[in-house]
């Protein structure tokens, strides 16, 4: 027991030393723009925090005042549109950068030793960023926000249906705690406001402590990139400020009703699955993401040399894009589609497994051949004892 | 871990520490969910919404088969705000069916004593709580709700949810309002109602309007009738 704890401590100390969250110095590849994503994550996060604090000057967190106050910010306050645009598109950029970086780390095998802890922190960051996203767009108190919040917070109630455990009321407790009661209302808005602000501010303090203690750089990109990002976000806000939509109406769900873009695929999956599974599946997905460094135990980083995990990542990417496309095209025949999706998933995963096994067998044969060959020929030169 | 004298003493000292932790955390949960009694966090306290009796419409509005109207039934929900409560609308739909049915669902909730050709459904989707629509032409369901095509005997008015495309048949045999397509785990929820002359009076609603609760419970039944 003590030995296990000591090992864990040693593992943690070592990986903490080699954390590579923002400056990307461990993998520095100046020739590849995918390796400034760490800095861009920090930059967009700071844009979101600063613009968010400015928005708080005008925002009113009540069911009756929220929508109006955002209208006021957007159309009456000088440069209010710019602040709101920076906040919205900065948040989108944050999630885009984290997602791209996760895919980069996955396909380049950067989650392997010593990158496990970096990967796990980054994956948790994606989950927290998505929670910030959903709590944030509920603050607009428009139709899309209202129904997204309602759907998401009804999912936990199905946790009380998990077989064998029985109904402990825990699922309802979770829903009630976040809703501030059994219904979506003022209690929910206040709680979401607190969570939305709290996540970023607590994490920012933790991150600053880490910067202070390690002397790592926050923003390892050139001034040109920073100016480019700011100009781009301001330009997008100027030409295409997101529409507020309609005021939340608890008597009417619009058709079609969509969530923010990073939830679209999940939204489509919820249509296909029984509700309990729709609640459990994202948890399994997060679990897979957190544990993948320990499941994929080879040292290979090239995708073709670890076929199974490569295909799993590819499938996730294709499903994410495919489901998002389906929901935007408003296609979901629930009585027809799920068997196809399951079928494709099982076949592809099975094929990936076969590929993996075939690859490993070929490797083993090659190793055996390499070991057998010198026996018949001249003996190799003796190696130095200590290498 | 060895179970020697030191180990036992350590374990014994841990008990009050863990106890103190739980004692500290319990009120913290109650800070977030104030309606619970101390230690009651894991027991279900449904905070049942209250509504009472409300006239929601007239029988004469439903002259022909498949005639319908929307209405709202107002209930008070507990909210963890300074007001403590919030009035919330439960949107409903009243439908005249072509033939009389027993308005009892498979969860055992009795919506109407005896047989009736008027049925009242809560429009809050039992799946994840969106508001579904009564669609009088099933072609519109096929066009707008993902492409579902009902079998021949169900080619009539249907109810369909915009969020995840659960589709309900108000005339489903032995379980009016049952789900016929989509992810919903059960059929549409009922109102309990009576007919007084030309008035349709709702006296209660199946619980589960917002967050779903135990099946069969009645919300608002215990509240004193309210004049409307």
């Amino acid at each position: 027991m003590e030995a296990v704890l000591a090992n864990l401590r040693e593992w943690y100390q070592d990986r903490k030393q080699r954390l590579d969250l923002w400056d990307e110095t461990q993998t520095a590849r100046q020739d590849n723009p995918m390796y400034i994503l760490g800095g861009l994550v920090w930059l967009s996060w700071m844009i979101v925090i600063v613009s968010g604090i400015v928005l708080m000057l005008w925002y009113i967190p009540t069911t009756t005042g929220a929508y109006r106050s955002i209208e006021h910010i957007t159309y009456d306050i000088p440069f209010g549109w710019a602040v709101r645009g920076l906040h919205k598109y900065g948040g989108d950029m944050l999630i885009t950068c984290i997602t791209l970086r996760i895919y980069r780390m996955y396909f380049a095998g950067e989650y392997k030793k010593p990158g496990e802890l970096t990967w796990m922190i980054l994956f948790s960051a994606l989950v927290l960023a998505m929670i910030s996203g959903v709590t944030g767009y509920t603050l607009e108190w428009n139709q899309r926000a209202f129904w997204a919040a309602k759907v998401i917070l009804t999912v936990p109630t199905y946790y009380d249906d998990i077989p064998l455990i029985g109904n402990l009321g825990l699922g309802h407790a979770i829903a009630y705690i976040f809703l501030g009661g059994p219904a979506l209302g003022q209690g929910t808005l206040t709680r979401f406001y607190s969570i939305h602000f709290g996540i970023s501010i607590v994490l920012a303090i933790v991150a600053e402590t880490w910067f202070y203690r390690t002397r790592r750089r926050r923003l390892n990109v050139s001034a040109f990139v920073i100016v480019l990002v700011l100009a781009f976000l301001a330009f997008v806000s100027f030409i295409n400020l997101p529409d507020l939509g309609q005021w939340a109406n608890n008597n009417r769900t619009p058709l079609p009703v969509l969530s923010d873009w990073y939830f679209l695929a999940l939204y489509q999956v919820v249509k296909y699955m029984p509700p309990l599974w729709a609640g459990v599946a994202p948890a399994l997905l997060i679990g897979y993401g957190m544990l993948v460094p320990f499941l994929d135990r080879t040292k290979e980083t090239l995708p073709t040399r670890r076929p199974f995990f490569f295909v799993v990542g590819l499938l996730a990417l294709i499903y994410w894009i495919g489901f998002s496309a389906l929901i935007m095209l408003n296609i979901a025949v629930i009585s027809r589609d799920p068997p196809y999706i399951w079928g494709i998933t099982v076949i592809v995963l099975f094929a990936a497994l076969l590929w993996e096994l075939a690859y490993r067998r070929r490797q083993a044969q090659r190793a055996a051949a390499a070991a057998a060959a010198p026996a018949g020929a001249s003996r190799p030169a003796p190696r130095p004892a200590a290498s | 871990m060895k179970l020697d004298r030191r180990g036992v003493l350590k374990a014994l000292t841990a008990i009050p520490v863990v106890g103190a932790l739980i004692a500290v955390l319990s009120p913290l949960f109650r800070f977030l969910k104030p309606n619970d009694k101390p230690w009651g966090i894991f027991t279900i306290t449904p905070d049942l919404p209250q509504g009472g009796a409300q006239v929601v419409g007239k029988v004469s509005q439903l002259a022909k088969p498949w005639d319908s109207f929307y209405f709202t039934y107002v209930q008070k929900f507990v909210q963890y705000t300074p007001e403590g409560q919030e009035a919330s609308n439960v949107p409903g739909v009243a439908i005249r069916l072509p033939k009389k049915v027993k308005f009892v669902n498979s969860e055992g909730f009795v919506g109407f004593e005896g047989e009736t050709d008027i049925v009242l459904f809560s429009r809050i989707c039992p799946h994840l709580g969106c508001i579904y629509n009564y669609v009088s032409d099933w072609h519109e369901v096929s066009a707008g709700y993902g492409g579902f095509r009902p079998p021949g005997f169900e080619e009539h008015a249907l109810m369909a949810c915009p969020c995840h495309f659960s589709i309900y048949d108000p005339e489903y045999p032995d379980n009016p309002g049952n789900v016929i397509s989509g992810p919903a785990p059960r059929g549409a929820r009922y109102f309990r109602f009576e007919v007084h002359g030309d008035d349709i009076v709702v006296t209660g609603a199946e619980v589960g309007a917002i967050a779903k609760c135990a099946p069969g419970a009645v919300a608002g039944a215990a509240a004193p009738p309210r004049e409307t």
Side-chain angles (χ1 to χ4, degrees):
Chain A
M1 186 69 195
E2 251 125 65
V4 173
L5 277 180
N7 275 345
L8 266 180
R9 203 170 297 131
E10 193 187 334
W11 179 92
Y12 174 71
Q13 291 294 349
D14 177 57
R15 303 308 188 273
K16 201 175 80 174
Q17 289 293 321
R18 299 202 246 174
L19 269 186
D20 198 12
L21 292 171
W22 284 286
D23 50 4
E24 305 245 24
T25 43
Q26 307 273 335
T27 45
R29 296 261 308 267
Q30 299 298 326
D31 55 332
N32 187 335
M34 288 296 271
Y35 287 83
I36 58 167
L37 283 171
L40 292 186
V41 167
W42 192 83
L43 177 62
S44 49
W45 190 29
M46 287 305 124
I47 292 173
V48 167
I49 289 181
V50 172
S51 59
I53 288 171
V54 177
L55 287 175
M56 285 171 87
L57 294 172
W58 291 97
Y59 178 69
I60 301 169
T62 63
T63 53
T64 45
Y67 188 91
R68 280 276 150 74
S69 70
I70 293 174
E71 268 186 337
H72 187 57
I73 289 169
T74 311
Y75 302 110
D76 303 338
I77 312 284
F79 294 100
W81 59 268
V83 183
R84 184 172 155 237
L86 283 179
H87 193 67
K88 150 89 182 142
Y89 287 120
D92 283 349
M93 178 177 152
L94 177 61
I95 288 182
T96 311
C97 289
I98 296 181
T99 311
L100 281 176
R101 188 151 170 222
I102 279 180
Y103 273 116
R104 187 200 85 200
M105 288 187 77
Y106 191 91
F107 288 122
E110 288 166 19
Y111 57 76
K112 303 202 163 193
K113 186 183 176 185
E116 298 105 317
L117 195 60
T118 308
W119 164 268
M120 287 162 83
I121 290 175
L122 200 66
F123 208 84
S124 319
L126 179 66
V127 175
L128 287 171
M130 287 172 87
I131 295 174
S132 289
V134 75
T135 49
Y137 75 79
T138 303
L139 299 183
E140 294 188 342
W141 210 246
N142 57 14
Q143 278 284 62
R144 177 205 274 198
F146 186 91
W147 295 107
K150 185 154 182 177
V151 163
I152 286 174
L153 285 180
T154 312
V155 169
T157 64
Y158 284 95
Y159 291 152
D160 290 342
D161 294 348
I162 297 177
L164 302 179
I165 301 177
N167 187 351
L168 296 174
L170 190 58
H172 278 83
I174 294 171
Y176 283 23
I177 281 173
F178 284 99
L179 283 170
L184 194 68
Q186 180 58 53
T188 321
L189 187 60
T190 318
R191 280 163 194 234
F192 274 30
Y193 195 31
S194 157
I195 295 168
H196 184 68
F197 180 68
I199 287 176
S200 271
I201 228 63
V202 171
L203 287 184
I205 293 169
V206 174
E208 274 310 308
T209 313
W210 185 75
F211 285 130
Y212 175 76
R213 289 174 54 157
T214 60
R215 309 275 165 188
R216 299 285 286 267
R217 290 188 68 183
R218 291 169 181 78
L219 192 53
N220 193 17
V221 299
S222 64
F224 174 72
V225 174
I226 298 171
V227 172
L228 196 68
V229 165
L230 283 171
F232 177 70
L233 289 181
F235 175 68
V236 175
S237 311
F238 180 70
I239 58 163
N240 187 24
L241 192 67
D243 194 18
L244 250 183
Q246 286 180 316
W247 198 323
N249 175 356
N250 64 357
N251 287 329
R252 202 181 73 80
T253 307
L255 172 75
V257 56
L258 296 176
S259 56
D260 251 6
W261 57 271
Y262 39 90
F263 277 113
L264 284 178
L266 194 60
Y267 209 104
Q268 181 78 355
V269 172
V270 172
K271 289 179 185 171
Y272 289 136
M273 285 185 172
L276 173 59
W277 273 104
V280 173
L284 292 180
L285 206 63
I286 294 170
Y288 171 78
M290 292 300 276
L291 291 180
V292 73
F294 311 105
L295 298 174
D296 181 9
R297 295 181 58 83
T298 62
K299 287 187 180 143
E300 301 290 351
T301 53
L302 274 181
T304 49
R305 292 192 181 168
R306 45 190 185 99
F308 184 75
F309 287 94
F310 170 58
V311 172
V312 170
L314 206 60
L315 199 64
L317 182 61
I318 291 170
Y319 275 171
W320 189 59
I321 295 169
F323 283 141
S324 301
L326 279 179
I327 197 170
M328 288 167 84
L329 298 171
N330 208 9
I331 299 171
V333 185
I334 287 114
S335 51
R336 181 196 66 191
D337 301 348
Y340 289 103
I341 297 165
W342 278 117
I344 292 171
T345 310
V346 170
I347 290 170
V348 170
L349 288 184
F350 188 67
L353 198 65
L354 287 183
W355 184 8
E356 177 83 38
L357 290 176
Y359 173 76
R360 289 201 177 184
R361 208 168 124 216
R362 216 161 43 237
Q363 288 295 94
Q365 280 168 352
R366 207 168 292 163
S378 63
R379 287 164 64 89
R383 288 187 186 174
S387 55
Chain B
M1 200 190 268
K2 286 186 301 225
L3 201 71
D4 51 5
R5 192 175 55 159
R6 192 171 292 204
V8 171
L9 284 175
K10 268 186 183 171
L12 281 180
T13 10
I15 293 171
V17 174
V18 172
L21 258 178
I22 296 173
V24 169
L25 287 178
S26 170
L28 187 70
F29 273 115
R30 288 186 61 228
F31 176 82
L32 295 169
K33 196 167 177 288
N35 289 47
D36 286 331
K37 300 222 162 35
W39 313 105
I41 188 76
F42 293 130
T43 57
I44 304 173
T45 48
D47 290 333
L48 283 182
Q50 304 292 323
Q54 295 169 27
V55 177
V56 296
K58 306 274 182 204
V59 176
S60 51
Q61 287 172 271
L62 303 169
K64 299 189 301 296
W66 301 118
D67 275 0
S68 72
F69 63 82
Y70 285 165
F71 61 88
T72 51
Y73 177 69
V74 182
Q75 287 184 322
K76 277 198 165 169
F77 287 94
V78 171
Q79 276 279 317
Y80 311 151
T81 57
E83 287 74 31
Q85 292 205 316
E86 190 163 290
S88 187
N89 295 332
V90 181
V93 57
I95 306 166
R96 165 85 74 176
L97 298 179
K99 61 175 193 290
K100 287 197 180 244
V101 295
K102 274 199 172 135
F103 194 43
V104 180
N105 63 18
S106 51
E107 278 75 24
F109 185 88
V110 181
F112 188 81
E113 299 290 341
E115 297 217 317
T116 175
D117 54 356
I118 294 174
V119 287
L120 268 66
F121 296 107
S122 155
R123 284 170 61 213
I124 296 175
C125 183
H127 179 224
L128 292 175
C130 297
I131 307 299
Y132 63 74
N133 297 316
Y134 175 77
V135 188
S136 52
D137 181 1
W138 64 266
H139 292 95
E140 279 180 38
V141 174
S142 295
Y145 296 82
F148 170 75
R149 196 180 187 298
F153 70 98
E154 275 166 341
E155 288 180 350
H156 51 64
L158 296 170
M159 304 184 292
C161 183
C163 282
H164 305 98
F165 302 159
S166 288
I167 295 164
Y168 306 92
D169 177 5
E171 209 197 14
Y172 197 84
D174 298 331
N175 188 11
N178 198 18
V179 58
I180 55 173
S181 172
R186 52 157 292 172
R189 293 198 186 88
Y190 291 4
F191 284 106
R192 174 169 292 167
F193 69 100
E194 294 160 7
V195 176
H196 297 298
D198 196 29
D199 286 342
I200 300 173
V201 184
V202 169
T203 56
E206 207 173 345
V207 162
I210 304 297
K212 77 193 176 64
C213 291
V218 184
R226 205 179 71 171
E227 295 300 319
T228 45

